[in-house]
Amino acid sequence: MNKWQLFIAGEFRPGGRQECFPDYHPATGAVTAEVALATPDDCDAAVTAAKQALSAWRRFPVAERARLLRRVAEGIEARSAEFLQAEVADTGKPCALARTLDIPRGAANFRIFADLAAGLATECFETATDDGAGALNYGLRRPLGVVGVICPWNLPLLLLTWKIAPALVMGNTVVVKPSEETPATATLLGEVMTAAGVPPGVYNVVHGFGPGSVGEWLVAHPDVAAITFTGETRTGQAIMRTAATRTKRLSFELGGKNAAIVFADADFDRAVAGVARSSFLNGGQVCLCSERVYVERPVFERFVDALALAARQLRPGPPEDETTTLGPLISAAHREKVLGYYAAARAAGAEIHAGGGCPALPPPYDQGYFVEPTVWTGLPEDTPCIVEEIFGPVCHVAPFDTEEEAVALANAGDYGLCAALWTRDLARAHRVAHALDVGVVWINSWFLRDLRTPFGGMKLSGIGREGGRHSLEFYSEIKNVCVKL
Ligand SMILES: NC(=O)c1ccc[n+]([C@@H]2O[C@H](COP(=O)([O-])OP(=O)(O)OC[C@H]3O[C@@H](n4cnc5c(N)ncnc54)[C@H](O)[C@@H]3O)[C@@H](O)[C@H]2O)c1
Ligand SMILES: N/C(=C\C=C\C=O)C(=O)O
């Protein structure tokens, strides 16, 4: 049985009370590991280790920090098979998906921020003064200090490294609290950090839960200068309340209820494939997934049939089987939540064109947390399953007649993370993209990522942007110095 321990000051250790909690394999329901449960003293020890490492780490030249981050990227790639196995055991996702998305992005995230930090400029102004001698005003960037990093379970390594890479390259040290569902790759990364030569205390990992556990203690800790969080909106709101006592800097990547808009002139097959991917990738457990699909009326019926066929063609099964194209949900509890929406939609009169239940699978996968990819039509837009984030392989498809109607439908609701739109009319594509109240718009594509771009949501979908210089700016303070000449 694997043991995922805490990683503090460069050492692996059990929790202070020697308590553990189970780590389940979502594809089989089997317990695959024991996870060390952090105590308040463990949380304090991790923050203290990060604080003690800070003064030396921040004095490293940025080029040296960048070099170490590139070595971490190399370390992830050298051990990619172990990271793959760990990520799949934690999430149940198909190996084919984790091998092409999660693990490569773990390395890419370190490389992009190592590259960008080396070239980060600040600003300088020549200031006129009454005596004619003038003054110089210039900016200096400095690290924030100890950063608390709190991550979700859907893309564990991808989202962890997306945060710690810019934090570390800007001279901060971190204490990471992975999701209780997916402790493995964050822990394995501790070994890679050490092997790469990252000094002890720069990267620390504590395991546990949120409220009344190490997640909450980390947010409240007086020596933690900032919190970067990805997770549910209501969790972000709880973190905001805790962090308010010390007005900590916050970066929030929160929930979404994203729309896909398909115009009649779109490349039909590309739009079907694109919306099937944006609805069902990772079992619909990507914050960017389309749970609302709006299709121009002339192609609506044909599109629903084609999307339902694509849903039925997905194959749930063993992660190691290269033909598996649908993984399980993360937990039994999350499956009950998603099946609750399936039942509610049926009760509300939804027309179910695909799915609506659980697939029949042979042992041990019959004990996994699989649900069928599902396509609904016929519900009013104010139905809870069209307003609330479900975070499963399901979407509701509705027709529209005009561009203005499509924009109004997509902009409804409290979320504003992303949208995908499919049309051959690029003037209309830009017009609609400009009208959508979301942080990211994909046109004739989805989840196509340039890591230099701003990533984040509006409304209840988040605060701030990460990506490119936006991350480097979030993970640093800029100071202005004025020199009288
Ligand atoms: N916007 C994005 O980029 C993005 C990316 C991935 C996931 N998400 C969102 O994340 C959610 C799914 O992930 P999840 O279920 O792990 O989210 P979650 O909010 O339940 O948990 C996320 C993390 O927060 C911790 N946590 C929970 N309560 C806490 C508290 N009070 N104080 C401190 N930490 C606390 C959890 O232990 C976990 O590590 C979905 O809503 C999805 O939309 C958003
Ligand atoms: N932050 C990113 C993806 C988020 C996915 C949400 O589930 C990324 O691609 O950098």
Side-chain angles (χ1 to χ4, degrees):
M1 175 82 69
N2 267 335
K3 285 184 184 298
W4 300 117
Q5 295 198 310
L6 312 181
F7 184 68
I8 298 174
E11 302 289 332
F12 289 98
R13 65 169 81 167
R17 288 195 290 262
Q18 308 287 326
E19 289 177 59
C20 291
F21 59 94
D23 185 9
Y24 295 94
H25 194 310
T28 64
V31 176
T32 59
E34 288 185 337
V35 190
L37 179 64
T39 65
D41 287 347
D42 295 320
C43 180
D44 194 53
V47 174
T48 301
K51 194 176 175 186
Q52 287 171 347
L54 189 58
S55 58
W57 180 244
R58 63 184 295 166
R59 283 202 306 273
F60 276 46
V62 67
E64 176 58 12
R65 292 197 295 262
R67 184 188 70 82
L68 288 170
L69 262 58
R70 292 191 186 95
R71 283 176 52 81
V72 172
E74 292 159 10
I76 291 172
E77 289 172 334
R79 300 181 62 175
S80 59
E82 292 172 78
F83 276 92
L84 178 66
Q85 195 278 330
E87 198 76 306
V88 169
D90 266 1
T91 61
K93 68 177 72 183
C95 289
L97 174 61
R99 188 184 303 123
T100 52
L101 174 63
D102 303 73
I103 310 311
R105 273 295 304 277
N109 288 344
F110 281 107
R111 290 202 171 95
I112 188 67
F113 290 111
D115 293 349
L116 290 172
L120 183 66
T122 58
E123 55 203 17
C124 177
F125 301 95
E126 291 186 82
T127 309
T129 55
D130 294 344
D131 64 6
L136 268 188
N137 279 276
Y138 64 92
L140 286 175
R141 285 207 170 273
R142 291 291 179 267
L144 305 175
V146 176
V147 176
V149 182
I150 301 179
C151 303
W153 45 256
N154 61 318
L155 302 170
L157 185 67
L158 187 155
L159 292 167
L160 164 66
T161 54
W162 180 240
K163 294 173 178 299
I164 64 172
L168 295 181
V169 82
M170 293 308 285
N172 304 284
T173 55
V174 298
V175 178
V176 171
K177 211 297 284 178
S179 171
E180 54 275 23
E181 307 286 359
T182 54
T185 46
T187 312
L188 207 48
L189 189 59
E191 293 180 11
V192 171
M193 288 279 178
T194 302
V198 174
V202 170
Y203 174 78
N204 304 277
V205 180
V206 289
H207 295 301
F209 303 85
S213 186
V214 66
E216 186 174 348
W217 304 331
L218 186 60
V219 174
H221 198 292
D223 292 335
V224 170
I227 295 292
T228 177
F229 167 73
T230 296
E232 292 195 16
T233 297
R234 62 163 182 260
T235 304
Q237 291 162 339
I239 289 173
M240 203 168 193
R241 284 191 290 272
T242 306
T245 51
R246 300 185 70 88
T247 58
K248 295 189 182 189
R249 182 179 289 211
L250 299 171
S251 171
F252 278 171
E253 300 289 350
L254 304 178
K257 189 67 176 182
N258 311 303
I261 303 172
V262 181
F263 288 93
D265 74 327
D267 177 322
F268 186 83
D269 293 341
R270 270 186 71 189
V272 170
V275 173
R277 183 168 170 268
S278 71
S279 297
F280 307 128
L281 184 77
N282 203 41
Q285 299 168 120
V286 180
C287 60
L288 303 164
C289 276
S290 313
E291 293 190 2
R292 298 182 293 146
V293 181
Y294 301 108
V295 179
E296 198 168 6
R297 198 175 298 276
V299 298
F300 173 73
E301 298 290 345
R302 187 168 151 239
F303 190 91
V304 169
D305 291 344
L307 184 63
L309 176 61
R312 288 193 293 271
Q313 287 171 338
L314 291 170
R315 279 172 53 86
E320 299 72 19
D321 182 336
E322 293 299 314
T323 65
T324 296
T325 51
L326 180 76
L329 298 177
I330 190 66
S331 66
H334 188 52
R335 183 174 63 170
E336 288 317 301
K337 171 187 170 184
V338 173
L339 290 175
Y341 280 106
Y342 283 19
R346 189 180 300 110
E351 190 171 347
I352 302 170
H353 300 264
C358 296
L361 292 171
Y365 304 102
D366 57 339
Q367 300 304 307
Y369 314 132
F370 292 90
V371 298
E372 292 176 318
T374 295
V375 176
W376 297 318
T377 60
L379 290 174
E381 285 294 304
D382 62 353
T383 312
C385 62
I386 301 180
V387 172
E388 299 164 8
E389 179 183 60
I390 300 170
F391 219 54
V394 56
C395 64
H396 180 268
V397 192
F400 68 88
D401 295 298
T402 67
E403 178 180 313
E404 292 71 21
E405 184 190 357
V407 168
L409 285 164
N411 279 341
D414 293 330
Y415 290 106
L417 186 53
C418 80
L421 59 103
W422 301 86
T423 178
R424 286 193 174 92
D425 178 344
L426 289 190
R428 171 164 64 191
H430 289 285
R431 203 168 48 238
V432 172
H434 296 188
L436 293 172
D437 299 332
V438 294
V440 185
V441 179
W442 276 285
I443 298 171
N444 297 327
S445 56
W446 176 75
F447 205 9
L448 192 165
R449 293 282 290 114
D450 182 323
L451 305 184
R452 297 166 298 181
T453 58
F455 182 97
M458 302 179 182
K459 303 194 281 189
L460 291 186
S461 290
I463 297 177
R465 294 293 182 272
E466 298 190 19
R469 64 174 174 79
H470 307 279
S471 295
L472 304 182
E473 289 170 358
F474 172 77
Y475 292 107
S476 62
E477 292 277 12
I478 186 160
K479 173 193 304 183
N480 183 72
V481 179
C482 178
V483 184
K484 183 71 182 67
L485 300 178

